[in-house]
Every structure is written in structure tokens, then in C-alpha cells.
């Protein structure tokens, strides 16, 4: 069984998807981490995302795989360096290039064949695995998402103001939903869950029970 979970930045997808995978004993695949990791790799190599030739060269020696602890890039697990605010914005910039999306979509399809999976991102139900047995689209108001993200950053020792984070989330929402290739949108057969005011546990148990009904 494949469960696709899509939604905007900071909608709680990662936390929810990881817990759903744990409860069902499915493999969890975070596709945002792949965009983040590729953006960081290109930046470190001094490559401009808009340079299709240099990006193609870089991607030709970029290998993603999975381990119990998550995504592996070129043989090494991804670290916290992909979670910075700078990399959040870079990943949303790199994600608009069709050559990047084609490359990562292909890699994600390969990873999705690992058995029972929960895959989360922006275009999983629409592009990566449109034949997924269960598709969820998680949303929450931008204000609620910004509040959650500030809290999460604080707990990991990063100070940020609500206004700054709200602006960054709105910028990523705009990038993600207006790009011409695979924009963020719910699949026509996705179940839309507005999580504003819902606890993580409530969201997880809703999805787990939907999955159990479809298994
Ligand atoms: O989910 P996360 O915030 O880690 O994703 C980082 C960025 O990667 C997003 O802002 C989005 O632009 C991009 N992304 C995407 N398609 C996916 C997953 C992530 O475009 N399937």
C-alpha cells in the first residue's frame, strides 16, 4: 500500500507522516529532504540552479537511497544542515526547475517501490505516485503553520519571530503553488484534512484509520 501525504510548508506533514509510518510499520519517505539536500549540494558546489548543464552534471553523480534512519545522499545520511531557514528557501527555489523535478521524481518513484510506504511532499498524489491507494492533503492556515514552526525552531534553539517565519512560509507557498511544473495542489481524489486546531495525535489517528479501511 502507498500513502501519499501532500501539503504546504509547515503543515505538519513530516511529523504526521513519520508517525503514521511508525504505527502502520510502513517505510517513511520525506521527499522534501531530497529537494533540500540537492539544493545544499548544488550551493556547496557553487552551481547556479538555473544552469541546466551544470545541474545535469551534478545530478549525474547524485544518488539517493533509503535506510532505517531516512534518506541517504551519496552514501551519507542527511544531517540537520538541510533544515536551516536558508536551505528551506533554497529548496523551494530549486524545486521550480523541470530538470530538477524530473530527476527527483524518478528517484522518488524508485524509492516508492520498496513495499508499503508513506511518502510526503507537494506532488506525491498528483505526479509521483498518482496511483497511490490513499492520498491525503494536509492544510492549516498560514498563521497556524507559522506559530507551529516558530515553536519547533525555538525547541531546537533557533530564535525567529512570528512575522519573519510567516513571511518565509508565504513566500514558499507562493513559489510552490504558482510554479508551472507540478505546482502544489490537492489531487482530485485526495482527502483534504484541515489541521487548524487539531492535535498531531488526532491527525495521525484519522489517517491510520483511513489506511486500515483501505488495506
Ligand atoms: O517539505 P519541505 O518543506 O522539507 O520541502 C522543501 C521544499 O521542497 C518545499 O518548499 C518545496 O518547494 C519542495 N518540494 C517539492 N516537491 C516535493 C517536496 C518538496 O517541490 N515533493
Amino acid at each position: 500500500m502507498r500513502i501519499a501525504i501532500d501539503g504546504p510548508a509547515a503543515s505538519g506533514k513530516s511529523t504526521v507522516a513519520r508517525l503514521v509510518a511508525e504505527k502502520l510499520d510502513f517505510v517513511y519517505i520525506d521527499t522534501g529532504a531530497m529537494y533540500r539536500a540537492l539544493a545544499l549540494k548544488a550551493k556547496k558546489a557553487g552551481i547556479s540552479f538555473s544552469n541546466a548543464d551544470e545541474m545535469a552534471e551534478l545530478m549525474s553523480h547524485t544518488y539517493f537511497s533509503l535506510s532505517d534512519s531516512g534518506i541517504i545522499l551519496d552514501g551519507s545520511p542527511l544531517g540537520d544542515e538541510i533544515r536551516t531557514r536558508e536551505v528551506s528557501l533554497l529548496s523551494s527555489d530549486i524545486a521550480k526547475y523541470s530538470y530538477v523535478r524530473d530527476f527527483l521524481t524518478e528517484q522518488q518513484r524508485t524509492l516508492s517501490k520498496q513495499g508499503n510506504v508513506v511518502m510526503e511532499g507537494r506532488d506525491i498524489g498528483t505526479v509521483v505516485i498518482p496511483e497511490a491507494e490513499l492520498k491525503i492533503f494536509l492544510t492549516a492556515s498560514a498563521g497556524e503553520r507559522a506559530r507551529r514552526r516558530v515553536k519547533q525552531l525555538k525547541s531546537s534553539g533557533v530564535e525567529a519571530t512570528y512575522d519573519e517565519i510567516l513571511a518565509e512560509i508565504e513566500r514558499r507557498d507562493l513559489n510552490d503553488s504558482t510554479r508551472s511544473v507540478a505546482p502544489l495542489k490537492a489531487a482530485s481524489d485526495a482527502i483534504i484534512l484541515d489541521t487548524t486546531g487539531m492535535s498531531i495525535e488526532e491527525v495521525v489517528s484519522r489517517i491510520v484509520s483511513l489506511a486500515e479501511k483501505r488495506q
Side-chain angles (χ1 to χ4, degrees):
M1 182 181 196
R2 291 149 304 172
I3 303 178
I5 303 185
D6 290 302
S11 57
K13 290 182 314 288
S14 303
T15 311
V16 164
R18 185 177 293 113
L19 289 168
V20 168
E22 232 172 76
K23 289 226 153 124
L24 294 169
D25 199 20
F26 281 20
V27 175
Y28 163 62
I29 306 172
D30 172 4
T31 63
M34 298 167 74
Y35 284 90
R36 288 170 181 271
L38 185 63
L40 186 60
K41 182 173 172 175
K43 177 164 185 259
K44 282 183 177 166
I47 292 173
S48 158
F49 303 157
S50 60
N51 187 325
D53 291 340
E54 283 184 17
M55 280 303 299
E57 212 280 314
L58 182 89
M59 292 185 297
S60 72
H61 52 85
T62 296
Y63 307 96
F64 286 102
S65 58
L66 271 180
S67 77
D68 287 347
S69 56
I71 306 276
I72 305 285
L73 170 63
D74 302 336
S76 305
L78 300 178
D80 284 344
E81 56 174 0
I82 63 160
R83 300 287 162 200
T84 64
R85 286 162 60 196
E86 186 199 0
V87 176
S88 295
L89 294 171
L90 289 175
S91 61
S92 164
D93 286 341
I94 206 171
K96 61 179 188 257
Y97 295 99
S98 57
Y99 41 88
V100 167
R101 300 205 72 85
D102 289 347
F103 170 71
L104 289 180
T105 297
E106 208 42 54
Q107 303 268 329
Q108 289 156 9
R109 286 191 181 134
T110 305
L111 297 180
S112 77
K113 295 185 179 125
Q114 307 246 343
N116 291 322
V117 297
V118 179
M119 186 175 259
E120 57 109 341
R122 302 290 189 290
D123 60 344
I124 310 306
T126 49
V127 176
V128 181
I129 21 177
E131 67 283 12
E133 286 75 16
L134 177 62
K135 300 180 190 176
I136 305 288
F137 191 83
L138 285 188
T139 63
S141 67
E144 167 111 0
R145 289 185 279 131
R147 268 189 296 281
R148 290 179 189 164
R149 184 48 58 90
V150 170
K151 207 168 142 195
Q152 184 191 25
L153 286 169
K154 269 212 176 99
S155 71
S156 50
V158 180
E159 283 303 321
T161 69
Y162 169 82
D163 288 345
E164 278 168 357
I165 297 298
L166 181 64
E168 287 174 10
I169 283 179
E170 285 174 340
R171 174 167 155 201
R172 284 213 283 154
D173 281 358
L174 187 73
N175 272 349
D176 290 347
S177 52
T178 56
R179 65 172 170 242
S180 52
V181 205
L184 169 70
K185 66 169 193 284
S188 56
D189 52 349
I191 295 168
I192 297 176
L193 279 184
D194 185 337
T195 67
T196 312
M198 273 174 96
S199 70
I200 287 170
E201 294 71 29
E202 283 170 321
V203 180
V204 170
S205 66
R206 272 287 280 289
I207 299 175
V208 167
S209 83
L210 286 164
E212 284 168 347
K213 278 186 204 134
R214 294 193 185 195
Q215 259 179 331

Coordinates of all heavy atoms in Angstrom, one line a residue, residues 4-51:
A4 N 0.1 8.7 0.1 CA 0.7 10.0 -0.3 C 0.2 11.1 0.6 O -1.0 11.2 0.7 CB 0.3 10.3 -1.8
I5 N 1.1 11.8 1.2 CA 0.7 12.9 2.0 C 1.3 14.2 1.5 O 2.5 14.4 1.4 CB 1.1 12.7 3.5 CG1 0.5 11.4 4.0 CG2 0.6 13.9 4.3 CD1 0.7 11.2 5.5
D6 N 0.5 15.1 1.0 CA 0.9 16.4 0.4 C 0.4 17.5 1.2 O -0.6 17.4 2.0 CB 0.5 16.5 -1.0 CG 1.2 15.5 -2.0 OD1 2.4 15.6 -2.0 OD2 0.5 14.7 -2.6
G7 N 1.0 18.7 1.1 CA 0.5 19.9 1.7 C 1.6 21.0 1.7 O 2.7 20.7 1.4
P8 N 1.2 22.2 2.1 CA 2.1 23.3 2.1 C 3.1 23.2 3.2 O 3.1 22.4 4.1 CB 1.2 24.5 2.3 CG 0.0 24.0 3.1 CD -0.2 22.5 2.6
A9 N 4.1 24.2 3.1 CA 5.2 24.3 4.1 C 4.6 24.4 5.5 O 3.7 25.1 5.8 CB 6.0 25.5 3.8
A10 N 5.3 23.6 6.4 CA 5.0 23.7 7.9 C 3.5 23.2 8.2 O 2.9 23.7 9.2 CB 5.3 25.0 8.4
S11 N 3.0 22.4 7.3 CA 1.6 21.9 7.6 C 1.6 20.7 8.6 O 0.6 20.2 8.9 CB 0.9 21.6 6.3 OG 1.6 20.6 5.6
G12 N 2.8 20.3 9.0 CA 2.9 19.2 9.9 C 3.0 17.8 9.2 O 3.0 16.8 9.8
K13 N 3.2 17.9 7.9 CA 3.3 16.7 7.1 C 4.4 15.7 7.6 O 4.1 14.5 7.7 CB 3.7 17.0 5.6 CG 2.7 17.6 4.8 CD 3.2 17.8 3.4 CE 4.6 18.4 3.3 NZ 4.9 19.7 3.6
S14 N 5.6 16.3 7.9 CA 6.7 15.3 8.2 C 6.4 14.6 9.5 O 6.5 13.4 9.6 CB 8.0 16.1 8.4 OG 8.3 16.8 7.2
T15 N 6.0 15.4 10.5 CA 5.7 14.7 11.8 C 4.6 13.7 11.7 O 4.7 12.6 12.2 CB 5.2 15.8 12.8 OG1 6.2 16.9 12.8 CG2 5.1 15.3 14.2
V16 N 3.5 14.1 11.0 CA 2.4 13.2 10.8 C 2.8 12.0 10.0 O 2.5 10.9 10.4 CB 1.2 14.0 10.2 CG1 0.2 13.1 9.6 CG2 0.6 15.0 11.2
A17 N 3.5 12.2 8.9 CA 3.8 11.1 8.0 C 4.7 10.1 8.7 O 4.5 8.9 8.6 CB 4.5 11.6 6.7
R18 N 5.7 10.6 9.5 CA 6.6 9.7 10.2 C 5.8 8.9 11.2 O 6.0 7.7 11.3 CB 7.7 10.6 10.9 CG 8.7 9.7 11.6 CD 9.8 10.5 12.2 NE 10.6 11.2 11.3 CZ 10.7 12.6 11.2 NH1 10.0 13.3 12.0 NH2 11.4 13.2 10.3
L19 N 4.9 9.5 11.9 CA 4.1 8.8 13.0 C 3.2 7.7 12.3 O 3.0 6.6 12.8 CB 3.3 9.7 13.9 CG 4.2 10.5 14.8 CD1 3.4 11.7 15.5 CD2 4.8 9.6 15.9
V20 N 2.6 8.1 11.2 CA 1.7 7.2 10.5 C 2.5 6.0 10.1 O 2.1 4.8 10.2 CB 1.0 7.9 9.3 CG1 0.3 6.9 8.4 CG2 0.0 8.9 9.8
A21 N 3.7 6.2 9.5 CA 4.5 5.1 9.0 C 4.9 4.2 10.2 O 4.8 3.0 10.1 CB 5.8 5.7 8.4
E22 N 5.2 4.8 11.3 CA 5.6 4.0 12.5 C 4.4 3.1 13.0 O 4.6 2.0 13.2 CB 5.9 5.0 13.6 CG 7.3 4.8 14.3 CD 7.5 6.0 15.2 OE1 6.9 6.0 16.4 OE2 8.2 6.9 14.8
K23 N 3.2 3.8 13.1 CA 2.1 3.0 13.5 C 1.7 1.8 12.6 O 1.3 0.8 13.1 CB 0.8 3.9 13.6 CG 0.9 4.9 14.7 CD -0.4 5.0 15.5 CE 0.0 5.4 16.9 NZ -0.6 6.5 17.4
L24 N 1.9 2.1 11.3 CA 1.5 1.0 10.4 C 2.6 0.1 10.0 O 2.5 -0.9 9.2 CB 0.9 1.7 9.1 CG -0.4 2.5 9.2 CD1 -0.6 3.3 8.0 CD2 -1.6 1.5 9.5
D25 N 3.8 0.4 10.5 CA 5.0 -0.3 10.1 C 5.3 -0.2 8.6 O 5.6 -1.2 8.0 CB 4.9 -1.7 10.6 CG 6.3 -2.4 10.7 OD1 7.3 -1.6 10.8 OD2 6.4 -3.6 10.7
F26 N 5.2 1.0 8.1 CA 5.5 1.3 6.7 C 6.8 2.0 6.6 O 7.3 2.6 7.6 CB 4.4 2.2 6.1 CG 3.1 1.5 5.7 CD1 2.7 0.3 6.2 CD2 2.2 2.2 4.8 CE1 1.5 -0.3 5.9 CE2 1.0 1.6 4.4 CZ 0.6 0.3 5.0
V27 N 7.4 2.1 5.4 CA 8.6 2.9 5.2 C 8.2 4.4 5.0 O 7.3 4.7 4.3 CB 9.3 2.4 4.0 CG1 10.5 3.3 3.7 CG2 9.7 0.9 4.1
Y28 N 8.9 5.2 5.7 CA 8.6 6.7 5.6 C 9.6 7.3 4.6 O 10.8 7.2 4.8 CB 8.7 7.3 7.0 CG 8.9 8.8 7.0 CD1 7.8 9.6 6.5 CD2 10.0 9.4 7.5 CE1 8.0 11.0 6.5 CE2 10.1 10.8 7.5 CZ 9.1 11.6 7.0 OH 9.2 13.0 6.9
I29 N 9.1 8.1 3.7 CA 9.9 8.8 2.7 C 9.6 10.2 2.6 O 8.5 10.6 2.2 CB 9.8 8.1 1.3 CG1 10.0 6.6 1.4 CG2 10.8 8.8 0.3 CD1 9.7 5.9 0.1
D30 N 10.6 11.1 3.0 CA 10.5 12.5 3.1 C 11.0 13.1 1.8 O 12.3 13.2 1.7 CB 11.2 13.0 4.3 CG 11.3 14.5 4.4 OD1 10.8 15.2 3.6 OD2 12.0 15.0 5.3
T31 N 10.2 13.5 0.8 CA 10.7 13.9 -0.5 C 11.3 15.4 -0.4 O 12.1 15.8 -1.2 CB 9.7 13.8 -1.6 OG1 8.6 14.7 -1.3 CG2 9.2 12.4 -1.8
G32 N 10.7 16.1 0.6 CA 11.3 17.5 0.8 C 12.7 17.5 1.1 O 13.5 18.3 0.7
A33 N 13.1 16.4 1.9 CA 14.5 16.3 2.3 C 15.4 16.1 1.0 O 16.6 16.6 1.0 CB 14.7 15.1 3.2
M34 N 14.9 15.5 0.0 CA 15.6 15.3 -1.3 C 15.9 16.7 -2.0 O 16.9 16.9 -2.5 CB 14.9 14.3 -2.2 CG 14.8 12.9 -1.5 SD 13.7 11.7 -2.2 CE 14.7 11.2 -3.7
Y35 N 14.8 17.5 -2.0 CA 15.0 18.8 -2.6 C 16.0 19.7 -1.8 O 16.8 20.4 -2.3 CB 13.6 19.6 -2.7 CG 12.8 19.0 -3.9 CD1 11.9 18.0 -3.7 CD2 12.9 19.6 -5.1 CE1 11.1 17.5 -4.7 CE2 12.2 19.1 -6.2 CZ 11.3 18.0 -6.0 OH 10.6 17.5 -7.0
R36 N 15.8 19.6 -0.5 CA 16.7 20.3 0.4 C 18.2 19.9 0.2 O 19.1 20.7 0.1 CB 16.4 20.1 1.9 CG 15.1 20.7 2.3 CD 14.6 20.3 3.7 NE 13.4 20.9 4.0 CZ 13.3 22.1 4.7 NH1 14.4 22.7 5.1 NH2 12.1 22.6 4.9
A37 N 18.4 18.5 0.2 CA 19.7 18.0 0.0 C 20.4 18.4 -1.3 O 21.6 18.7 -1.4 CB 19.7 16.5 0.2
L38 N 19.6 18.3 -2.4 CA 20.1 18.6 -3.7 C 20.5 20.1 -3.8 O 21.5 20.5 -4.3 CB 19.1 18.2 -4.8 CG 19.6 18.4 -6.2 CD1 20.8 17.5 -6.5 CD2 18.5 18.1 -7.2
A39 N 19.6 21.0 -3.2 CA 19.8 22.4 -3.2 C 21.1 22.7 -2.4 O 22.0 23.5 -2.9 CB 18.7 23.2 -2.5
L40 N 21.3 22.1 -1.3 CA 22.5 22.3 -0.5 C 23.8 21.8 -1.2 O 24.8 22.5 -1.3 CB 22.4 21.6 0.9 CG 23.5 21.9 1.9 CD1 23.7 23.4 2.2 CD2 23.3 21.2 3.2
K41 N 23.6 20.6 -1.9 CA 24.8 20.1 -2.6 C 25.2 21.0 -3.7 O 26.4 21.3 -3.9 CB 24.4 18.7 -3.1 CG 25.5 18.0 -3.9 CD 25.2 16.6 -4.3 CE 26.3 16.0 -5.2 NZ 26.1 14.6 -5.5
A42 N 24.2 21.6 -4.5 CA 24.5 22.5 -5.6 C 25.1 23.8 -5.1 O 26.0 24.3 -5.7 CB 23.2 22.7 -6.4
K43 N 24.6 24.2 -4.0 CA 25.1 25.5 -3.4 C 26.5 25.3 -3.0 O 27.4 26.1 -3.3 CB 24.2 25.9 -2.2 CG 24.8 27.2 -1.6 CD 23.9 27.9 -0.7 CE 24.7 29.2 -0.3 NZ 25.3 29.1 1.0
K44 N 26.8 24.2 -2.3 CA 28.2 24.0 -1.9 C 29.2 23.8 -3.1 O 30.3 24.2 -3.0 CB 28.3 22.7 -1.1 CG 27.8 22.9 0.4 CD 28.0 21.6 1.2 CE 27.6 21.7 2.6 NZ 27.4 20.4 3.2
A45 N 28.6 23.3 -4.2 CA 29.4 23.1 -5.4 C 29.5 24.4 -6.2 O 30.2 24.5 -7.2 CB 28.9 22.0 -6.3
G46 N 28.8 25.5 -5.7 CA 28.9 26.8 -6.4 C 28.1 26.8 -7.7 O 28.4 27.6 -8.6
I47 N 27.1 25.9 -7.8 CA 26.3 25.8 -9.1 C 25.1 26.6 -9.0 O 24.3 26.5 -8.0 CB 26.0 24.3 -9.4 CG1 27.3 23.6 -9.7 CG2 25.0 24.2 -10.5 CD1 27.2 22.1 -9.9
S48 N 24.8 27.4 -10.0 CA 23.5 28.1 -10.1 C 22.4 27.2 -10.5 O 22.6 26.5 -11.5 CB 23.7 29.3 -11.1 OG 22.4 29.7 -11.5
F49 N 21.3 27.2 -9.8 CA 20.2 26.2 -10.1 C 19.7 26.4 -11.5 O 19.2 25.5 -12.1 CB 19.0 26.4 -9.1 CG 19.4 26.3 -7.7 CD1 18.5 26.9 -6.7 CD2 20.5 25.6 -7.2 CE1 18.8 26.8 -5.3 CE2 20.8 25.5 -5.9 CZ 19.9 26.1 -4.9
S50 N 19.8 27.6 -12.1 CA 19.3 27.9 -13.4 C 20.2 27.4 -14.5 O 19.8 27.4 -15.7 CB 19.0 29.4 -13.6 OG 20.2 30.1 -13.4
N51 N 21.4 26.9 -14.1 CA 22.3 26.4 -15.1 C 22.1 24.9 -15.4 O 22.5 24.1 -14.7 CB 23.8 26.7 -14.7 CG 24.8 26.3 -15.7 OD1 24.6 25.4 -16.5 ND2 25.9 27.1 -15.8

